[in-house]
């Protein structure tokens, strides 16, 4: 193998610890984003509050996992970096939706985030060995899929029913 091939191979690897840190930050920024949307119109306020609570629960799951002593070896394990890793990392940088974000912009952003999370957690579940971390990623992949489906319903109701 050439040295360039080895460098590319190393770039494609990451540790579960690094993934966990990125995922924790992903959930924290999502929670903070939804919590800060105090100016959202009333018809989706409930949804933004619900999303903020969900992201807080996910953040709590990751921080709790990081504090466990019995999974140190698993956290040091190298795994293939998921193909869509850059999309997930990009979601940590929040958009500026302005002082009065409309429902459509909020829903579009939320849909993009949930989709990126769903793909990332599915890929991570597939690339991890059975155990607490694998179970967590599988659980979160399913959760994000449910959120995305719920958001798509609300988006259709709000945007295509003249709500925006």
């Amino acid at each position: 193998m050439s040295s360039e091939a080895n460098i590319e191979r190393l770039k494609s690897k990451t540790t579960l610890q690094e993934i966990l840190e990125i995922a924790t930050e992903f959930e924290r920024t999502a929670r903070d984003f939804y919590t800060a949307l105090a100016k959202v119109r009333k018809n989706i306020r409930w949804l933004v509050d619900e999303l903020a609570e969900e992201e807080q629960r996910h953040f709590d799951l990751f921080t709790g996992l990081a504090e466990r002593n019995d999974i140190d070896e698993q956290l040091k394990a190298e795994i293939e970096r998921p193909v869509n890793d850059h999309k997930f990392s990009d979601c940590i940088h929040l958009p500026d939706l302005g002082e009065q974000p409309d429902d459509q912009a909020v829903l579009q952003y939320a849909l993009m985030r949930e989709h990126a999370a769903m793909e990332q957690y599915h890929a991570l579940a597939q690339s991890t060995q059975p155990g607490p971390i694998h179970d967590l990623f599988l659980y979160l992949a399913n959760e994000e899929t449910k959120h995305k489906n719920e958001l798509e319903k609300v988006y259709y109701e709000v945007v295509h029913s003249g709500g925006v």
Side-chain angles (χ1 to χ4, degrees):
M1 230 184 221
S2 71
S3 62
E4 284 180 24
N6 281 332
I7 291 170
E8 285 306 309
R9 188 170 161 264
L10 285 174
K11 283 183 187 177
S12 72
K13 295 279 188 185
T14 188
T15 63
L16 285 172
Q17 179 68 43
E18 182 182 338
I19 292 289
L20 196 58
E21 289 167 5
I22 292 168
T24 303
E25 185 64 10
F26 175 85
E27 300 297 343
R28 186 196 63 75
T29 58
R31 176 204 62 205
D32 293 351
F33 175 76
Y34 294 127
T35 301
L37 283 174
K39 298 173 184 147
V40 174
R41 291 175 29 195
K42 282 190 276 184
N43 55 336
I44 66 165
R45 166 58 72 119
W46 64 272
L47 178 65
V48 171
D49 289 343
E50 189 178 289
L51 287 167
E53 290 171 14
E54 284 294 321
E55 304 303 351
Q56 179 63 50
R57 281 194 282 280
H58 296 172
F59 176 83
D60 292 344
L61 285 170
F62 282 127
T63 53
L65 194 62
E67 293 169 358
R68 287 179 55 175
N69 295 330
D70 62 326
I71 59 170
D72 285 345
E73 288 306 311
Q74 284 185 337
L75 291 175
K76 292 175 187 170
E78 280 195 346
I79 62 169
E80 286 293 322
R81 188 177 302 275
V83 174
N84 59 348
D85 191 55
H86 66 284
K87 286 186 207 172
F88 190 72
S89 297
D90 286 350
C91 289
I92 291 173
H93 306 290
L94 298 175
D96 181 2
L97 297 180
E99 289 295 312
Q100 298 285 333
D102 69 13
D103 294 350
Q104 185 173 0
V106 171
L107 289 167
Q108 285 173 335
Y109 176 72
L111 275 165
M112 182 275 301
R113 263 190 96 89
E114 298 298 325
H115 184 77
M118 177 189 74
E119 286 183 339
Q120 183 78 349
Y121 293 139
H122 270 295
L124 289 166
Q126 290 175 344
S127 67
T128 54
Q129 298 297 316
I133 295 172
H134 170 82
D135 294 346
L136 176 63
F137 288 141
L138 192 58
Y139 168 78
L140 288 171
N142 292 330
E143 285 284 294
E144 302 297 355
T145 301
K146 287 181 210 170
H147 297 167
K148 183 175 174 275
N149 291 339
E150 290 170 16
L151 279 168
E152 285 171 345
K153 287 178 194 168
V154 172
Y155 184 85
Y156 182 80
E157 290 169 12
V158 170
V159 174
H160 296 291
S161 299
V164 174

